[in-house]
Amino acid sequence: MFLSVFDLYKIGIGPSSSHTMGPMTAAARFLAELKDGRWPRPHDAVVARLRVCLHGSLAFTGVGHATDRAVVLGLCGFVPASVDPDRVDAIVAEVAAKGAVQPEGHPPYAFEPARDLVFDRKHPLPGHANGMSFEALTRDGQMLLRRVYYSVGGGFVVDEDELQRQQSGAVPAAGEGESVPYPFASAAEMLAMADRTGMSIADMQRANELAFTSARELDERLDAVAGAMADCIRRGLRQEGVMPGGLGVRRRAKAIHDRLQADAARNVFQPLMANDWLSVYAMAVNEENACGGRVVTAPTNGAAGVVPAVMAYFRHFHAEAGRAHMRTFLLTSAAVGGLIKRNASISGAEVGCQGEVGSASAMAAAGLASLMGGSPAQIENAAEIALEHHLGMTCDPVGGLVQVPCIERNAFGAVKAVTAASLAMKGEGSHFMPLDNCIETMRQTGRDMDHRYKETSLGGLAVNLPEC
């Protein structure tokens, strides 16, 4: 039932939590099992070569999402939270030149990406759209160990058995079933508990977090997440040039930011100034993400700009904003994000972009409403408004890259979040459509959505480009 704020907000690298961070994490799990050695094999068998097969959405959009590079990094022993984005090109080039990987604590394994990294677009795995298999082979090609993993969105990875048990309800999903003082599995339960205890949503989430960590560590980690988000915005506002991938899309955040600063210096204030700042903050993050920079899943990489943009917007227009405000924002938004992940999905490959930018917008709206003094009911209303107006949104990235329409879509998600929070604060919290119903609608819509519109680049904008 409980998902930690740090399950939803993970520091990593771009361009995708499911297609980049997930495969890196899966590789780490496979390497750990190889090293552990507690798996059946002939007594004289030696692992000499590794092979990885990508299926479903990972196969269709893996190159554009840097899945191939992520697998190489993972097999070299790197993890998303600590790998240096500036070293990625050199690491990948070295593996291609040597035809081998040697993670720390392991012998060298043959791995030639052109041969041993397979994009299988014909045979999707049954558990999830983002499936992958890792294989350990002898020198003569005999398979010694094979493991299947699924990257289920937001950097979460499960193996076959874990996914089957979760889907059957035999065991709780990651983070569920843990003993916390204020457990809630739905927005209705969350509101009832808040009403019964008189606590805010942030206070309940904080108390749940403190069941597993100290107050000092919790605040330090929250500050680190907020700091990583702010750093990403700052980097994105300084960079220029064409983003990688072949589409020729140029970074725009710096130029827009420069114009906004020039207007402010001349005391020129436009009616849409707040929207402009929201948009440029979000675009700065997602341009960094598209270039493989350091970002925070919020709740995914593809939607990583919405929450940081709304937090930066609050800091920009509220001089009193400090660390305590950002902690409250993150805790409140994580409570809402946990409900969405638990009862629907945050994976674009599973439910389309409504699960990514839609979820992010709902989380950001809840966080902002909490800082505006909203009651739990008003916060739930803000999240519902934001999510409702992303329902049905497809995930159709052009060229499999997290650029078009993803970067601008984050800007609109941030604007919708602020609008939703403002609308909710104009009422008293009572409203027609409960958040739980909206989340269930998203789940059903994602189930019914054609697979071409779920992160495959086989439909929508991806196949309707202007001809030059």
Side-chain angles (χ1 to χ4, degrees), residues 276-316:
D276 290 341
W277 281 106
L278 274 168
S279 298
V280 78
Y281 290 145
M283 291 173 66
V285 171
N286 285 87
E287 288 176 358
E288 276 294 293
N289 179 63
C291 295
R294 176 76 63 211
V295 296
V296 179
T297 62
T300 66
N301 282 32
V306 178
V307 166
V310 177
M311 291 172 67
Y313 159 87
F314 186 83
R315 288 194 300 266
H316 186 123

Side-chain angles (χ1 to χ4, degrees), residues 237 252-283 316-317:
L237 294 178
R252 291 180 288 164
K254 182 181 185 301
I256 296 172
H257 184 247
D258 289 347
R259 288 197 295 272
L260 289 174
Q261 285 190 311
D263 286 346
R266 298 194 306 270
N267 290 321
V268 176
F269 298 102
Q270 303 293 343
L272 298 178
M273 181 179 65
N275 283 359
D276 290 341
W277 281 106
L278 274 168
S279 298
V280 78
Y281 290 145
M283 291 173 66
H316 186 123
F317 291 102

Side-chain angles (χ1 to χ4, degrees), residues 79-387:
V79 294
S82 58
V83 65
D84 183 353
D86 294 330
R87 290 191 58 210
V88 168
D89 289 343
I91 295 167
V92 172
E94 183 179 359
V95 170
K98 290 183 176 180
V101 294
Q102 187 172 4
E104 184 177 355
H106 292 255
Y109 303 119
F111 184 79
E112 299 178 21
R115 175 194 66 182
D116 297 319
L117 181 54
V118 180
F119 290 82
D120 186 348
R121 296 178 176 87
K122 295 183 179 180
H123 306 100
L125 297 180
H128 189 277
N130 291 333
M132 66 197 110
S133 64
F134 287 74
E135 301 170 356
L137 312 171
T138 63
R139 194 173 303 279
D140 61 3
Q142 177 187 358
M143 187 183 299
L144 298 176
L145 178 67
R146 181 178 185 268
R147 290 290 181 262
V148 170
Y149 301 99
Y150 295 99
S151 182
V152 295
F156 290 89
V157 171
V158 295
D159 64 24
E160 288 181 295
D161 291 339
E162 291 165 344
L163 183 67
Q164 186 174 9
R165 291 197 298 269
Q166 287 179 18
Q167 291 177 340
S168 67
V171 295
E176 296 187 6
E178 298 171 336
S179 178
V180 294
Y182 302 101
F184 46 86
S186 67
E189 291 180 6
M190 179 180 72
L191 291 178
M193 190 169 293
D195 185 60
R196 186 168 63 252
T197 64
M199 297 175 69
S200 69
I201 294 172
D203 286 342
M204 291 191 296
Q205 182 75 18
R206 182 177 179 84
N208 289 342
E209 298 284 350
L210 291 176
F212 308 103
T213 188
S214 68
R216 178 177 178 179
E217 182 180 0
L218 174 59
D219 287 342
E220 288 177 348
R221 294 185 67 188
L222 288 170
D223 292 345
V225 167
M229 290 178 172
D231 287 344
C232 187
I233 290 176
R234 282 191 286 268
R235 287 194 308 273
L237 294 178
R238 292 196 302 263
Q239 305 301 319
E240 296 179 287
V242 175
M243 289 178 282
L247 292 183
V249 178
R250 300 191 66 84
R251 287 182 181 248
R252 291 180 288 164
K254 182 181 185 301
I256 296 172
H257 184 247
D258 289 347
R259 288 197 295 272
L260 289 174
Q261 285 190 311
D263 286 346
R266 298 194 306 270
N267 290 321
V268 176
F269 298 102
Q270 303 293 343
L272 298 178
M273 181 179 65
N275 283 359
D276 290 341
W277 281 106
L278 274 168
S279 298
V280 78
Y281 290 145
M283 291 173 66
V285 171
N286 285 87
E287 288 176 358
E288 276 294 293
N289 179 63
C291 295
R294 176 76 63 211
V295 296
V296 179
T297 62
T300 66
N301 282 32
V306 178
V307 166
V310 177
M311 291 172 67
Y313 159 87
F314 186 83
R315 288 194 300 266
H316 186 123
F317 291 102
H318 296 80
E320 76 281 6
R323 289 183 177 181
H325 293 88
M326 299 302 103
R327 294 168 188 166
T328 296
F329 190 111
L330 291 173
L331 290 166
T332 306
S333 61
V336 169
L339 294 176
I340 296 173
K341 175 167 173 50
R342 184 185 191 280
N343 297 309
S345 176
I346 58 172
S347 169
E350 194 170 16
V351 297
C353 197
Q354 59 176 350
E356 296 206 25
V357 171
S359 297
S361 189
M363 293 165 65
L368 181 59
S370 71
L371 298 189
M372 296 169 70
S375 66
Q378 289 172 315
I379 292 168
E380 183 263 0
N381 188 15
E384 183 278 324
I385 293 171
L387 184 60

